[in-house]
């Protein structure tokens, strides 16, 4: 797999429609301390953006910034803060299963110097879904509420997110709308085919091609060059697909990447409201301004426009169900890990002699993404006990 562990954190509006629950009402503009515009520091870790957030004065909390998710707070965090949880709702997401969340309204949300009043959230045990593939603390997710109340400019490569008044600044030249799932989308081209792309800072995959789009273009689907494997893990469980090269053009600027050719027949990536989902590894190549009030986006190259795509070279998809355990969820056929005999459900005990528990998942993935020909020694624990396996990393998917 390329260096990503989750796809979208949650396809919120779509999920609520599929489960019969009413989606949250649109968030009206609200006065805030960002009326003159504020800059918020964001960090890019593991293919996600993070910012500090305070809820009703408590924090700072570590929130993922996800333009195509929904406002979510980890249920354990909500309970610790004494937030009042409302009725239950079933959510679908990237996998084929649903999960139970609780509705709540938070009176005051602070992101940097910006304040948002009366924001609707869902409480969900993130650590049991998105968190197991992230491997680090995630207290919540925020995104659509920011886009609804501000003109938002994200420069992931520069580490900043600017929150300006609605409908402010120069008018962008790219149409911006909400797709069928209520997430920001723009015209694009995929392999020279006219398409509509969702802009999703919550995905660690450069581009995911939706099932209906692939079904409509068999020649495009045939470009996938790997066997099927787990692409990510999020709300609803694991998502599966193949990998292959694809060129995506956004705002007239083309980028060649390794993309996810989804094989999902259920879940968010089986939805046809957009043709492709553009994730953080692709979006970070641009400074993107989301101006929903005027239906426009501004997209200019960032300092990361020409940076190479970081790809996994092992074929492993790892999760961390608890702080002390790193588990092989999937081994993609035809990859170095498969050739070396690594099996699903093996526990990773050590990497090159260092205990896996002493390494973050990002550290492990970075080691497994080193140049082709690098030898990596894994100590694994399976049903028959512990064993050492040597992988020779290789480019099993290349642009």
């Amino acid at each position: 797999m390329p260096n990503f562990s989750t796809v979208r954190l949650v396809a919120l509006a779509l999920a609520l429609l599929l489960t019969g629950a009413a989606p949250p009402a649109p968030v009206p503009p609200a006065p805030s301390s960002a009326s003159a515009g504020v800059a918020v520091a964001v960090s890019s870790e593991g293919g996600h953006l993070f910012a500090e957030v305070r809820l009703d004065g408590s924090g700072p909390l570590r929130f993922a910034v996800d333009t195509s998710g929904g406002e979510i707070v980890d249920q354990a965090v909500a309970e610790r803060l004494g937030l009042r949880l409302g009725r239950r709702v079933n959510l679908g997401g990237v996998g084929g299963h649903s999960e139970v969340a609780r509705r709540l309204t938070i009176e005051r949300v602070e992101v940097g110097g910006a304040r948002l009043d009366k924001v609707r959230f869902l409480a969900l045990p993130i650590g049991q879904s998105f968190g197991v593939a992230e491997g680090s603390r995630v207290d919540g997710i925020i995104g659509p509420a920011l886009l609804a109340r501000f003109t938002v400019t994200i420069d992931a490569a520069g580490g900043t997110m600017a929150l300006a008044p609605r409908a402010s600044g120069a008018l962008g030249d790219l149409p911006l709308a909400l797709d069928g799932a209520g997430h920001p989308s723009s015209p694009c081209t995929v392999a020279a085919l006219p398409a509509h792309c969702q802009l999703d800072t919550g995905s660690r995959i450069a581009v995911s091609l939706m099932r209906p789009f692939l079904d409509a273009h068999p020649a495009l689907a045939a470009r996938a060059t790997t066997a099927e494997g787990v692409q990510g893990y999020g709300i609803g469980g694991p998502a599966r697909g193949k990998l292959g090269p694809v060129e995506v053009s956004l705002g007239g600027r083309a980028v060649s990447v390794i993309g996810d050719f989804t094989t999902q027949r259920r879940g968010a990536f089986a939805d046809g409201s957009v043709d492709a989902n553009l994730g953080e590894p692709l979006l970070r190549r641009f400074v993107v301004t989301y101006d929903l009030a005027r239906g426009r986006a501004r997209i200019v190259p960032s300092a990361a426009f020409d940076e190479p795509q970081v790809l996994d070279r092992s074929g492993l998809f790892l999760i961390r169900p608890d702080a002390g355990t790193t588990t092989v969820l999937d081994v993609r056929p035809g990859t170095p890990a498969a050739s070396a005999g690594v099996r699903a459900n093996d526990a990773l005990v050590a990497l090159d002699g260092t205990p896996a528990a002493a390494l973050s998942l990002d550290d492990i993935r970075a080691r497994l993404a080193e140049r082709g020909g690098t030898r990596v020694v894994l100590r694994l624990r399976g049903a028959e006990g512990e064993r050492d396996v040597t992988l020779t990393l290789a480019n099993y998917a290349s642009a």
Side-chain angles (χ1 to χ4, degrees), residues 92-173:
V94 299
H97 307 291
S98 64
E99 300 184 26
V100 177
R102 301 285 295 274
R103 292 187 185 276
L104 70 157
T105 297
I106 297 178
E107 294 296 317
R108 186 173 80 255
V109 178
E110 295 167 273
V111 184
R115 171 173 167 168
L116 296 78
D117 295 323
K118 296 187 180 301
V119 182
R120 294 185 180 185
F121 272 77
L122 293 173
L124 187 73
I126 295 173
Q128 299 171 22
S129 54
F130 164 57
V132 302
E134 187 62 20
S136 60
R137 190 184 107 235
V138 182
D139 296 319
I141 302 165
I142 193 166
L146 297 176
L147 301 186
R149 302 187 189 211
F150 303 103
T151 297
V152 180
T153 299
I154 297 178
D155 179 4
T160 62
M161 175 173 65
L163 304 178
R166 283 166 51 87
S168 62
L171 188 65
D173 57 4

Side-chain angles (χ1 to χ4, degrees), residues 316 328 330-331 336-344 346 378 380 387 389 391:
L316 293 175
V328 177
D330 186 64
V331 181
S339 299
V342 183
R343 296 186 291 270
D346 280 340
L378 309 180
L380 302 170
R387 68 191 193 278
V389 170
L391 300 186

Side-chain angles (χ1 to χ4, degrees), residues 1-2 225-226 242-245 257-259 309 311-313 332 334-336 394-399:
M1 76 163 184
T225 58
T226 70
K242 301 179 180 180
L243 304 173
V257 295
I258 294 296
Q309 184 179 4
L311 296 174
D312 169 77
R313 293 184 170 93
R332 190 183 297 273
T335 63
N395 294 326
Y396 63 88
S398 57

